[in-house]
Amino acid sequence: MKFSDEELTNIADESLDYLERAIRELNDVKEYLDIKQELESIKIDLLEESDAYRKNYYKQIEEERNYENLEYQRSRL
């Protein structure tokens, strides 16, 4: 299945929320320190990996807004 940049951005955002919650739960639990550090590393990797999709998605939104604005300006003339 192929995902759009919007879908990939949303999936990454939801996953980041889950990771942040898990990391908070593991705070101050020295028995799970290694797992917490791995989750923090995964969070960074996910942010880096999703950055390109996020940029493309925001670029698409901007292009759509510019087009809508152009159409609005044309209708006002």
Side-chain angles (χ1 to χ4, degrees):
M1 177 177 203
K2 180 135 171 92
F3 293 100
S4 69
D5 291 329
E6 177 182 11
E7 291 169 320
L8 290 169
T9 298
N10 291 334
I11 291 168
D13 288 344
E14 281 188 40
S15 298
L16 288 167
D17 287 341
Y18 294 134
L19 285 168
E20 288 170 0
R21 280 189 234 150
I23 291 167
R24 278 195 306 272
E25 287 292 320
L26 297 175
N27 269 344
D28 303 321
V29 181
K30 61 183 171 184
E31 291 84 357
Y32 297 135
L33 182 60
D34 290 343
I35 294 171
K36 179 186 171 213
Q37 290 171 340
E38 285 181 47
L39 290 174
E40 288 171 340
S41 177
I42 291 168
K43 178 183 164 188
I44 291 168
D45 291 345
L46 181 56
L47 281 168
E48 290 172 356
E49 187 75 24
S50 66
D51 188 53
Y53 303 114
R54 189 176 313 282
K55 285 179 182 175
N56 286 337
Y57 173 52
Y58 292 152
K59 182 180 175 186
Q60 291 168 6
I61 291 173
E62 185 65 28
E63 288 172 355
E64 288 174 14
R65 285 185 183 156
N66 288 340
Y67 178 77
E68 289 171 0
N69 188 37
L70 181 62
E71 288 296 311
Y72 174 76
Q73 293 297 329
R74 286 181 183 163
S75 71
R76 301 285 294 165
L77 295 176

